[in-house]
Amino acid sequence: MNAIVSDACIGCGLCAGTCPDVFHMGDDGLAHGSGVPAGQEDLAQEARDNCPVSAITIEE
C-alpha cells in the first residue's frame, strides 16, 4: 500500500499526528505520504478518513 497526498493538502498536520510512520510534514509545510508498513494500515486509513480536505489516497 502507498499513501499519496494531493495538492489539496492544507498542511494541518492531522495525518502526521495520526500515523507518523506513513505521513510527515515537509519543509514546504505540507504533508507527504509514503509506503504503508505492515501493521499501519488502519492508522493510515484513519488519517485518510479524517483529512479535512480529503487530500489523501491510499493505493493497494
Side-chain angles (χ1 to χ4, degrees):
M1 298 176 97
N2 194 36
I4 300 166
V5 180
S6 77
D7 293 343
C9 178
I10 59 172
C12 73
L14 182 73
C15 58
T18 301
C19 189
D21 289 338
V22 175
F23 301 98
H24 71 277
M25 301 305 292
D27 292 337
D28 57 2
L30 301 175
H32 298 273
S34 64
V36 180
Q40 294 295 306
E41 297 91 355
D42 288 345
L43 284 176
Q45 290 172 356
E46 179 180 338
R48 176 199 61 200
D49 294 346
N50 290 323
C51 177
V53 293
S54 300
I56 299 170
T57 304
I58 297 177
E59 298 179 344
E60 295 290 329

